[in-house]
Amino acid sequence: MSLNRISRATTEGIERAPNRAMLRAVGFEDGDFQKPIVGIANAYSTITPCNLSLGDLADAAVKEGKRIGLMPQLFGTITISDGISMGTPGMKYSLISREVIADSIETVCRGQQMDGLVAIGGCDKNMPGAMIAIARLNIPSIFVYGGTIKAGHLNGKDLTVVSAFEAVGEYLAGNINEEQLTAVEKHACPGAGSCGGMFTANTMSSAIEAMGMALPYSSTMAAEDAEKRENTIESVAALEAAVRNQLLPRHIMTRKAFENAIAVIMATGGSTNAVLHLLAIAHSADVSLTIDDFETIRRRVPVLCDLKPSGKYVATDLHKAGGIPLVMKMLLAAGLLHGDCVTITGKTIAENLAGVPDEPSPDQDVVRPFDKPIYAEGHLAILRGNLATEGAVAKVTGIKQRKITGPAKVFESEEDCMAAIMKREIEAGDVIVIRYEGPKGGPGMREMLAPTSAIIGLGLGDSVGLITDGRFSGGTYGMVVGHVSPEAAAGGNIALMNDGDIVTIDADEQTLSVDLSDEELAKRRLDWKLPERLASVTGVAAKYAKLVSSSSLGAVTD
């Protein structure tokens, strides 16, 4: 029996006849009004390869839902391609789109009083956006990941979209010519699917699987493989059981489930964006989670997977090696995972992992043995100091120099910084500061993949630091610190810096500071003003800037 008020209409008298008339127009017949109405949130788009295959998955979900006695109702939501908008003003709308996605899914499901939800997403913000909505709605729900892209290949090397960004720096350094740059561009992204390394999309799909809101093995499947469609069909069956048993998201998305997700992110070397997104999802689920919880878990969970951007392999390699269930089982065996958490399968984490080996196969080196990790501790460190009194996030894998002290080169935007890099004005020992790119200051908190990749391509990745109140792509690595809070637009000390100020980034001591006294900072604050450009922001960006919280709280808007 459906829980939906509209679909119970036949038991509530003739006053529901207009509701039924509208539903008959979209295909309901007499026996259908007692079936659960399930929303299929479809983020299909031709705007990005990440979402290119989602339409087929949504069609499969609708067909399977009807076959097993549901009344699936298909509706769309938006996407922004981070990779395409990267390095442009369009990137300001990426994080904004997370909120639009969440709001749109919530609006449809509440407005039409859905009994359940299958959310299908691909690009970076589809996943946290859908999960924020799922947490708010608290109706039986499941997330279906569209799948990862397969690696590109050129001259015997695997390529990802990040390869194209790094090739720009190599070209500027004179290490490759224009023909070679174009060859990388043509081979980096061979088809449908989300960016192939352990970048933000695959990080969030892995976190959602670890949390129990997606089926086991689903987070590392290739978009173009047949198993992705089968996984979608299986997900609809799991959703039907959840509706029947009233297994709700907040039964699954507990504090322990978030700790499991963070542990898996650390073990796989995932994106800094996971900090931002998990804080926001926890906020919507009414779960107490803070930025410092990431640091607590980081200290006890090793990095086990050798994945791009700082490693060798891509997500499809991890899938072949055993996927996220293998990583989870290794963590469970080491006492670093909560095995009693319930999942969307109706079983606990431990039950789902019962048949999974405790150790990786010796025939691969994508996943290292627990006693021979790539790094003894997790890679997402929370830094504090007079430049980040609310915290900042550093990705400390793949760096040779864990401390850098040098003069600041301050830029008011990503474009200003890129112009300086293109002119070869950045030197070894510099600490680049990109400000007014935070949630309010952007508005929208752009990712700085273009400058960080160019620095890597120039061969300066181990000798140049970069700090910003913006974000980093999951494809970023090096001595970089993002999410600096309070941000410049909120009056954070990053707004008071001048060229030449001495900055220290210390990954071991977990500090981010500028060599200025409190008195000097107070003196400079008297002369500080918001940039005039922020007063001219209009539309959705203006609404976002007015509502959005600090990135240290997840950049939430509700």
Side-chain angles (χ1 to χ4, degrees):
M1 177 70 71
S2 170
L3 301 174
N4 185 295
R5 182 169 58 84
I6 294 176
S7 55
R8 289 204 310 266
T10 54
T11 66
E12 294 183 355
I14 60 173
E15 72 274 11
R16 295 300 174 203
N19 304 129
R20 297 197 302 272
M22 294 290 286
L23 291 171
R24 288 184 190 278
V26 297
F28 277 62
E29 297 179 356
D30 287 346
D32 294 333
F33 293 102
Q34 299 304 308
K35 297 176 182 178
I37 296 179
V38 171
I40 310 292
N42 178 16
Y44 165 74
S45 173
T46 60
I47 214 166
T48 171
C50 312
N51 291 42
L52 191 59
S53 60
L54 301 191
D56 292 338
L57 300 184
D59 290 342
V62 170
K63 183 176 180 180
E64 178 65 9
K66 290 180 178 178
R67 190 189 72 81
I68 63 176
L70 302 173
M71 287 306 291
Q73 301 297 293
L74 185 67
F75 65 93
T77 187
I78 68 160
T79 194
I80 296 290
S81 171
D82 288 9
I84 296 171
S85 63
M86 196 74 68
T88 76
M91 188 65 196
K92 294 175 184 285
Y93 290 84
S94 170
L95 191 58
I96 293 175
S97 79
R98 185 189 76 178
E99 307 309 303
V100 176
I101 292 164
D103 292 350
S104 66
I105 294 173
E106 179 190 6
T107 299
V108 173
C109 289
R110 289 213 190 279
Q112 303 308 139
Q113 300 176 291
M114 300 292 188
D115 295 315
L117 171 65
V118 177
I120 305 175
C123 202
D124 292 5
K125 305 310 174 295
N126 299 164
M127 283 169 273
M131 292 301 295
I132 288 169
I134 285 169
R136 291 177 188 169
L137 289 163
N138 202 34
I139 60 175
S141 303
I142 192 168
F143 183 80
V144 176
Y145 180 38
T148 184
I149 196 171
K150 294 182 178 181
H153 302 284
L154 182 65
N155 300 325
K157 294 183 178 180
D158 285 349
L159 300 181
T160 69
V161 67
V162 176
S163 304
F165 284 94
E166 292 180 359
V168 173
E170 292 184 83
Y171 174 76
L172 291 175
N175 295 328
I176 61 174
N177 59 31
E178 188 171 352
E179 182 180 352
Q180 291 169 308
L181 173 61
T182 301
V184 173
E185 172 195 319
K186 289 182 175 180
H187 290 84
C189 298
S194 298
C195 298
M198 192 48 68
F199 309 151
T200 302
N202 287 324
T203 296
M204 291 311 300
S205 67
S206 300
I208 294 167
E209 179 181 329
M211 199 181 298
M213 287 300 299
L215 294 185
Y217 297 100
S218 64
S219 65
T220 51
M221 292 177 178
E224 296 181 327
D225 286 353
E227 66 177 344
K228 191 70 256 184
R229 187 178 186 278
E230 293 304 312
N231 167 252
T232 303
I233 292 170
E234 293 168 0
S235 296
V236 175
L239 189 275
E240 187 278 333
V243 171
R244 183 165 19 92
N245 297 318
Q246 282 303 284
L247 177 59
L248 304 180
R250 294 194 187 187
H251 296 153
I252 299 169
M253 297 163 66
T254 62
R255 164 72 188 209
K256 287 183 177 181
F258 280 95
E259 291 181 355
N260 285 348
I262 295 170
V264 167
I265 288 165
M266 295 297 176
T268 56
S271 167
T272 53
N273 281 310
V275 178
L276 195 73
H277 297 326
L278 287 180
L279 288 172
I281 297 166
H283 171 79
S284 293
D286 199 23
V287 169
S288 177
L289 190 73
T290 72
I291 195 171
D292 294 318
D293 292 319
F294 289 81
E295 182 59 35
T296 300
I297 295 171
R298 181 189 78 84
R299 290 178 177 272
R300 62 177 184 247
V301 177
V303 178
L304 299 172
C305 300
D306 190 10
L307 297 169
K308 289 180 182 294
S310 59
K312 293 189 295 186
Y313 297 103
V314 294
T316 51
D317 296 317
L318 174 58
H319 191 62
K320 293 173 187 175
I324 294 302
L326 171 62
V327 177
M328 293 178 68
K329 186 60 176 288
M330 293 172 67
L331 295 175
L332 181 66
L336 297 173
L337 213 66
H338 301 291
D340 58 341
C341 291
V342 69
T343 73
I344 191 61
T345 66
K347 299 178 181 179
T348 65
I349 291 287
E351 290 169 337
N352 284 343
L353 299 176
V356 178
D358 291 356
E359 299 178 356
S361 168
D363 298 329
Q364 58 78 53
D365 61 350
V366 182
V367 183
R368 302 288 180 85
F370 192 86
D371 60 351
K372 296 179 180 178
I374 297 174
Y375 301 99
E377 293 183 337
H379 63 301
L380 299 181
I382 306 303
L383 276 54
R384 293 183 185 273
N386 66 352
L387 279 179
T389 56
E390 293 179 4
V393 183
K395 192 175 189 179
V396 296
T397 48
I399 58 172
K400 297 176 182 177
Q401 189 172 333
R402 296 179 63 86
K403 179 179 180 180
I404 184 169
T405 296
K409 287 194 174 175
V410 182
F411 301 96
E412 306 301 304
S413 69
E414 179 185 9
E415 287 86 354
D416 291 347
C417 178
M418 271 303 292
I421 293 172
M422 298 288 279
K423 294 176 183 176
R424 306 294 297 272
E425 294 175 353
I426 303 301
E427 301 174 352
D430 287 342
V431 177
I432 297 170
V433 179
I434 308 177
R435 63 189 179 193
Y436 294 106
E437 291 285 8
K440 291 182 180 294
M445 203 179 182
R446 284 192 289 184
E447 294 179 347
M448 305 292 129
L449 179 60
T452 58
S453 297
I455 289 167
I456 295 291
L458 284 167
L460 297 172
D462 293 319
S463 58
V464 169
L466 189 153
I467 69 171
T468 179
D469 50 9
R471 296 182 294 133
F472 293 118
S473 163
T476 293
Y477 64 102
M479 185 56 109
V480 296
V481 183
H483 306 205
V484 172
S485 302
E487 63 173 290
N493 288 340
I494 190 173
L496 309 179
M497 296 179 65
N498 295 328
D499 283 342
D501 289 344
I502 302 302
V503 178
T504 296
I505 306 170
D506 192 327
D508 293 321
E509 295 297 323
Q510 296 170 246
T511 56
L512 176 63
S513 59
V514 59
D515 188 15
L516 295 172
S517 66
D518 291 343
E519 292 76 15
E520 176 61 21
L521 288 169
K523 179 181 176 182
R524 292 186 185 186
R525 188 172 299 281
L526 295 175
D527 297 324
W528 173 72
K529 295 180 181 179
L530 273 173
E532 292 182 5
R533 67 170 177 81
L534 294 180
S536 62
V537 174
T538 60
V540 65
K543 288 190 287 186
Y544 182 84
K546 183 177 181 180
L547 294 172
V548 70
S549 74
S550 167
S551 60
S552 65
L553 300 175
V556 297
T557 57
D558 63 323

